[in-house]
Amino acid sequence: MEKTLRSYSKTVVIVIWIIATLQFAYAKDKEYKALSDFRVAVGEIFPLNSLEDPNSKALLADRILGKAVLINFYTQYCPPCIREVPKLNQVMENRNDINVLAITPDNHDEAARYVKRYGLKWPVASNANELLSEQLNVDAYPAFALLDSKGRLLATVYANQLGGEDGHATVEGIEAWLNFHVGTASE
């Protein structure tokens, strides 16, 4: 029995190693399309100041920074955004090396309802239309940005680049993209 258990454990470890290797290889070979005309260049500080949560309270950068930050740009009118919520919750559970932040143009009340209805487990910056449309030029939802632990932009990507054949982000696709970039996020 003990020999069978050890053999099974070795098999599980090998399978996990193969999956991780394939994820890394997939991310390395894949060309991710960055958000077009995004107005923060890679290496520049992302404008986290003046963000407010759905309760109109300031979202403090020191609550978000300190780890790599995965930013999810969403709006309540976007069905793929809704489908991503459980996937992002799973990514958060799988990884302790990142923080997640959502930024939405939706007003505070709409964002609060969205958080409650769909079960977001990360901070949300709402009423951010000026930031998204004028400062950043985010023109498609859902999309992502990745910051290093000090708030510098590492990368952006359209969510449909991080998934399956149906064009929707998957946990594996999000994590492969993070794995591709997070090495530069750790200091």
Side-chain angles (χ1 to χ4, degrees), residues 124-183:
V124 174
S126 53
N127 208 30
N129 190 50
E130 183 179 324
L131 170 70
L132 292 167
S133 63
E134 295 175 28
Q135 288 182 269
L136 300 176
N137 196 36
V138 174
D139 60 358
Y141 298 97
F144 292 100
L146 182 62
L147 312 181
D148 70 10
S149 62
K150 295 183 178 169
R152 295 177 299 238
L153 183 68
L154 293 172
T156 62
V157 70
Y158 293 100
N160 65 359
Q161 301 287 306
L162 304 180
E165 294 174 9
D166 65 356
H168 300 293
T170 63
V171 171
E172 296 79 15
I174 296 166
E175 287 190 349
W177 184 69
L178 288 170
N179 289 339
F180 183 73
H181 292 287
V182 85

Side-chain angles (χ1 to χ4, degrees), residues 5-26:
L5 190 55
R6 266 191 264 153
S7 176
Y8 176 75
S9 296
K10 285 181 182 178
T11 303
V12 168
V13 169
I14 290 169
V15 167
I16 291 171
W17 179 82
I18 290 170
I19 290 170
T21 301
L22 289 173
Q23 274 189 334
F24 181 74
Y26 170 77

Side-chain angles (χ1 to χ4, degrees), residues 44-66:
E44 289 182 357
I45 296 291
F46 187 91
L48 291 171
N49 52 353
S50 76
L51 295 177
E52 294 182 347
D53 71 13
N55 297 315
S56 301
K57 293 185 180 173
L59 270 175
L60 303 176
D62 60 348
R63 177 180 173 207
I64 300 162
L65 298 176

